[in-house]
Amino acid sequence: GHTYEITDHGFIIDNCYIGEIEKSDHQGNHLPQLNLGHYVVQPGEVMTYTLNTHSFDSRYFGPIKTSQIETRVIPLLTFP
């Protein structure tokens, strides 16, 4: 399976640096923090993430089960 790491320097998936892990949001609210370590995404799980450091994604809550996914989003317009 795919691997991910939570380090002092940020969030890494399959040895590719994704971005920082913020301690708090822009309003000063504490964000959940995963334990530092190296993990394997298990069958039936996915990681949600964007390259935007301010995104509330798997860097804060870990993988989710595919059974939790209720819908699919299809972008209509994207920018480089």
Side-chain angles (χ1 to χ4, degrees):
H2 294 281
T3 62
Y4 68 100
E5 293 180 67
I6 305 297
T7 72
D8 289 329
H9 303 290
F11 183 51
I12 300 165
I13 295 181
D14 292 335
N15 296 316
C16 181
Y17 181 78
I18 303 301
E20 295 178 12
I21 300 171
E22 302 290 339
K23 301 284 186 205
S24 59
D25 65 15
H26 67 278
Q27 294 178 340
N29 299 307
H30 179 71
L31 293 169
Q33 302 290 302
L34 296 173
N35 292 328
L36 299 180
H38 183 89
Y39 303 92
V40 176
V41 179
Q42 299 300 311
E45 294 180 334
V46 295
M47 298 294 288
T48 62
Y49 71 92
T50 71
L51 298 179
N52 181 343
T53 301
H54 301 293
S55 175
F56 188 66
D57 55 25
S58 285
R59 74 186 85 205
Y60 300 103
F61 50 77
I64 62 169
K65 297 198 178 303
T66 55
S67 62
Q68 294 175 286
I69 299 172
E70 295 180 2
T71 191
R72 185 172 125 182
V73 176
I74 301 170
L76 298 177
L77 181 63
T78 62
F79 297 93

